[in-house]
Amino acid sequence: MSTQFERRVSADPNFLLKSVLEVFLAAATQLFAEINRRGLGRILPEFDFVFAAILTAVIGKYYAMWRVAP
């Protein structure tokens, strides 16, 4: 896997920065969607579902980005 990562970084030197930005954006967007869906008062009591949704969004976004990266 490190060889693939090195190839992506050599193809795009900003790949790591773009990866971190994509993950942060996916997590923030999903968190705001969960707040909108559940309401601010229900975030902590249902944190297990919120965490699972955020984790799924982050993994899906990173996987999609990894697949299309040069």
Side-chain angles (χ1 to χ4, degrees), residues 18-32 34 49-67:
K18 290 177 183 178
S19 298
V20 170
L21 219 68
E22 284 285 336
V23 166
F24 177 75
L25 190 62
T29 304
Q30 187 63 35
L31 177 62
F32 289 133
E34 291 296 324
F49 294 111
V50 173
F51 181 73
I54 291 172
L55 189 63
T56 303
V58 166
I59 291 171
K61 184 68 168 177
Y62 192 78
Y63 179 74
M65 186 188 70
W66 182 268
R67 295 290 295 169

Side-chain angles (χ1 to χ4, degrees), residues 1-54:
M1 184 164 147
S2 65
T3 305
Q4 292 177 357
F5 184 76
E6 290 170 358
R7 288 180 187 168
R8 283 173 169 80
V9 170
S10 68
D12 183 8
N14 293 325
F15 180 75
L16 184 61
L17 176 65
K18 290 177 183 178
S19 298
V20 170
L21 219 68
E22 284 285 336
V23 166
F24 177 75
L25 190 62
T29 304
Q30 187 63 35
L31 177 62
F32 289 133
E34 291 296 324
I35 290 171
N36 189 31
R37 178 183 304 150
R38 300 175 194 283
L40 196 55
R42 300 294 307 161
I43 292 296
L44 287 180
E46 299 178 4
F47 186 73
D48 50 346
F49 294 111
V50 173
F51 181 73
I54 291 172

